[in-house]
Amino acid sequence: MLHNDVPGVREIEVLASVQGRTCVTIVTPTEDKPQHPDAPLTTFRNQAKAVLERITDETQRRVFADRFVEFTDPGFWRHQCRSLVLYATTDTVVTYRLANRLGAVEVVADRLHLKPLLRATTFPQSAFVLALAENSVRLIELSGDAPARERDVPDLPTSAADHAGRAAITGRSEFGGLSGSDQRQLRVRQYARAIDRALRAVLPDGAVPLILAAAEPIASIYREVNTYPELLAATLAGSPETRSAGQLGTDARPLLDRFYADRIAEWHRVFAERRQQGRALTDLADAARAATYGQIATMLIDMDTVVAGTLDPQTGAVSLQAGEPGYGLVDEIARRALLSGARVLAVRRADIPEGAELAAILRFAPVSGS
């Protein structure tokens, strides 16, 4: 089992607001390697040592050293995913277990390094499959390329008839005047609503895609009552009752890949349209200024490249003088955009228009001369 923690948008905004103090970011690869089971812990210990060497204040160094002790327990590393991201200040420490494969990173700065989380929320590499039929329902969890597994869901009905408290969902009932087919449809809709309520107790806050595997008419009925915002438009058609969790996971992967590809393609279409309206840009200096003044609506950033430099706190003017190692212009532009409510997606360079380090769509066209 892979333990995956996908942060919500609000969590990332809170992390982006941390500034003006000593902030530590450590990213540790944690994928299981049977021949080297202690490798993640060894890597983390070396990273923690490197971080402490960068902290010049003796009091702060002791505080961080105390915080890192918690994560030197071998038991902690037995319940991981593919990457661990640790954020620490002298006041607090939080960790996220991610399904994305990330390289080792240590950053000490006056802000937290958010790119790892942005990549995880852009393409989580995980999803849920709702295998739905009148006589059965299962929630299947996908995480990276690990085997799919069935997830326990409290209060999940076992069937439409079970939810109705009957042997069958047609026949005489309290629904006066309804035909047999109308009674069935009403029972199925009630069943679907009960499933939706049960799922909202276990699904994350709109961060992970949900794929519906169902035949008609129950597929359409469920979509009518669904309240989870990340339900994909595409349905895994046909009855799921004869397919194992592994088969459903394999069948769902192409839908998930297509969803991500379509998302980027749609972003490019809107970018090209806004470019003609003077509301899109790829220049770093322009993006820095736009982020500082809250003009960015959505943005793609290169998840790998670090552009050395800093931004003026008030104007967003760019300086190419290198700041803290591992934290640069693109990171700070993304942070400022997030704090103004922008949606920031971390992608590969090939997915960014013009092969730039970033591309931004503005909320409105900038005033001439600003």
Side-chain angles (χ1 to χ4, degrees), residues 207-231:
V208 179
L210 175 65
I211 298 169
L212 178 62
E216 293 296 350
I218 196 170
S220 294
I221 292 173
Y222 184 80
R223 288 190 178 278
E224 290 175 7
V225 303
N226 169 69
T227 60
Y228 185 64
E230 294 298 327
L231 177 65

Side-chain angles (χ1 to χ4, degrees), residues 171-224:
R172 294 180 59 83
S173 73
E174 69 274 19
F175 303 121
L178 292 182
S179 66
S181 61
D182 288 339
Q183 287 182 33
R184 173 181 289 274
Q185 187 176 53
L186 183 57
R187 298 283 192 192
V188 171
R189 181 171 283 103
Q190 292 173 333
Y191 169 56
R193 288 190 191 280
I195 292 170
D196 178 67
R197 286 194 299 269
L199 291 183
R200 293 316 303 267
V202 299
L203 292 177
D205 187 18
V208 179
L210 175 65
I211 298 169
L212 178 62
E216 293 296 350
I218 196 170
S220 294
I221 292 173
Y222 184 80
R223 288 190 178 278
E224 290 175 7

Side-chain angles (χ1 to χ4, degrees), residues 81-97:
C81 198
R82 290 192 167 80
S83 303
L84 177 76
V85 179
L86 178 146
Y87 292 121
T89 68
T90 54
D91 298 323
T92 188
V93 58
V94 294
T95 61
Y96 295 94
R97 299 167 296 183

Side-chain angles (χ1 to χ4, degrees), residues 160-345:
D162 172 71
H163 179 66
R166 292 172 170 270
I169 57 173
T170 56
R172 294 180 59 83
S173 73
E174 69 274 19
F175 303 121
L178 292 182
S179 66
S181 61
D182 288 339
Q183 287 182 33
R184 173 181 289 274
Q185 187 176 53
L186 183 57
R187 298 283 192 192
V188 171
R189 181 171 283 103
Q190 292 173 333
Y191 169 56
R193 288 190 191 280
I195 292 170
D196 178 67
R197 286 194 299 269
L199 291 183
R200 293 316 303 267
V202 299
L203 292 177
D205 187 18
V208 179
L210 175 65
I211 298 169
L212 178 62
E216 293 296 350
I218 196 170
S220 294
I221 292 173
Y222 184 80
R223 288 190 178 278
E224 290 175 7
V225 303
N226 169 69
T227 60
Y228 185 64
E230 294 298 327
L231 177 65
L232 268 58
T235 299
L236 193 56
S239 173
E241 291 188 292
T242 59
R243 286 180 277 184
S244 67
Q247 289 173 319
L248 288 166
T250 298
D251 294 344
R253 283 292 174 192
L255 272 66
L256 191 60
D257 293 342
R258 194 177 313 133
F259 166 70
Y260 291 142
D262 289 347
R263 189 177 180 185
I264 292 296
E266 174 62 15
W267 199 96
H268 277 245
R269 185 195 68 76
V270 175
F271 179 87
E273 183 179 280
R274 298 294 185 267
R275 187 75 140 172
Q276 295 180 345
Q277 301 168 356
R279 292 177 51 195
L281 51 85
T282 57
D283 181 78
L284 276 175
D286 291 341
R289 193 161 47 248
T292 300
Y293 291 105
Q295 295 175 324
I296 295 178
T298 180
M299 180 168 65
L300 301 183
I301 63 170
D302 179 9
M303 63 174 288
D304 297 314
T305 300
V306 176
V307 181
T310 57
L311 305 184
D312 182 274
Q314 303 302 321
T315 68
V318 168
S319 169
L320 296 181
Q321 181 178 357
E324 295 287 347
Y327 201 107
L329 291 175
V330 174
D331 306 83
E332 178 60 11
I333 291 169
R335 191 186 73 86
R336 295 187 187 193
L338 285 166
L339 290 176
S340 67
R343 179 80 170 101
V344 180
L345 307 177

